[in-house]
Amino acid sequence: MIDGLEPEPAAAVELFGEHIEAGRAFTTALARHGEELGLIGPLELPRLWTRHILNSALVAPLLRPGRVGDVGSGAGLPGIVLAIMRPDVSFTLIEPMERRVAWLERQADEIGLTNVTVVRARAEESKLFDSLDQVTARAVSALRTLIPVTAPLLRPGGELVLMKGAGVDGEIGAAEKVIRKYHLHDVEVLVLGEGVVSEVTRVFRATAG
């Protein structure tokens, strides 16, 4: 047991199902090394499962078999969590910082994730333009800044699945011009996890072109 780590919530087994052991292994590794590597803050252990792991896991049912890019993957939230839960999906984790790239590669190797490729690059420099079926991102930036970085990575008909906070509706209003510029349609906000976890997950979803 790691001092200060939040006990595993009952919802973890419900969400991860047969992949729970891999979920536990990743959570333990993040709890042990996350602060020293600058992946999570010093106050995150008491809410690591609830605020970070399960928050990411709730997005898994929204993904489709195909190629999914996770922009600014950082600690592996949501990219590693989603790759654990969706072995039928091919994930490209896009991260510019060398030590975080090393962390992501190590976790994919140690957990045995054969559906993960890590790309060290900024999203706009990743040479993945027009090639992804879906793109995710978590806690990266406001939509008016994030959409110009993520939308060009999608093939026509591809989908943004961006994790956002409680202020997402205001972000959508501020991003109206870029939403039009990148020809996004079927824009919606999904609230995930009500009645399952203590902190719901909000997702901005939109289709390109």
Side-chain angles (χ1 to χ4, degrees):
M1 185 67 181
I2 299 171
D3 287 345
L5 176 60
E6 176 184 14
E8 180 185 310
V13 173
E14 180 181 348
L15 291 173
F16 276 90
E18 64 181 312
H19 307 295
I20 185 59
E21 290 302 331
R24 288 168 178 158
F26 176 63
T27 303
T28 299
L30 190 54
R32 283 188 176 140
H33 306 294
E35 184 180 348
E36 68 186 71
L37 295 175
L39 302 170
I40 58 173
L43 303 179
E44 297 307 312
L45 285 189
R47 53 189 183 181
L48 187 61
W49 273 106
T50 303
R51 186 173 187 181
H52 298 288
I53 303 298
L54 300 188
N55 176 259
S56 298
L58 287 166
V59 177
L62 301 181
L63 303 182
R64 303 186 294 259
R67 296 188 68 205
V68 174
D70 181 34
V71 170
S73 205
L77 303 165
I80 293 290
V81 173
L82 295 176
I84 288 170
M85 298 180 67
R86 293 296 303 270
D88 59 324
V89 176
S90 176
F91 289 88
T92 300
L93 310 186
I94 305 166
E95 169 58 48
M97 293 185 64
E98 184 176 3
R99 73 172 184 273
R100 293 178 178 178
V101 167
W103 161 261
L104 294 168
E105 291 176 337
R106 175 181 167 189
Q107 290 308 302
D109 182 59
E110 291 185 354
I111 297 168
L113 299 174
T114 59
N115 59 333
V116 168
T117 300
V118 183
V119 174
R120 185 186 176 193
R122 299 176 63 85
E124 58 269 34
E125 302 163 351
S126 63
K127 299 180 182 178
L128 290 168
F129 279 56
D130 298 324
S131 67
L132 298 174
D133 298 298
Q134 291 174 298
V135 171
T136 67
R138 179 180 185 265
V140 173
S141 58
L143 286 174
R144 67 174 180 270
T145 304
L146 186 57
I147 287 172
V149 173
T150 53
L153 302 179
L154 292 169
R155 63 167 176 77
E159 191 174 65
L160 294 178
V161 185
L162 307 177
M163 301 175 67
K164 301 302 299 178
V168 61
D169 290 324
E171 287 190 33
I172 291 173
E176 285 183 359
K177 288 184 179 178
V178 294
I179 287 172
R180 289 196 300 271
K181 178 179 177 179
Y182 289 94
H183 307 291
L184 300 180
H185 57 93
D186 296 334
V187 173
E188 61 181 337
V189 174
L190 305 176
V191 180
L192 311 176
E194 290 181 318
V196 178
V197 295
S198 57
E199 293 190 33
V200 298
T201 293
R202 290 175 176 83
V203 171
F204 169 88
R205 185 162 70 172
T207 302

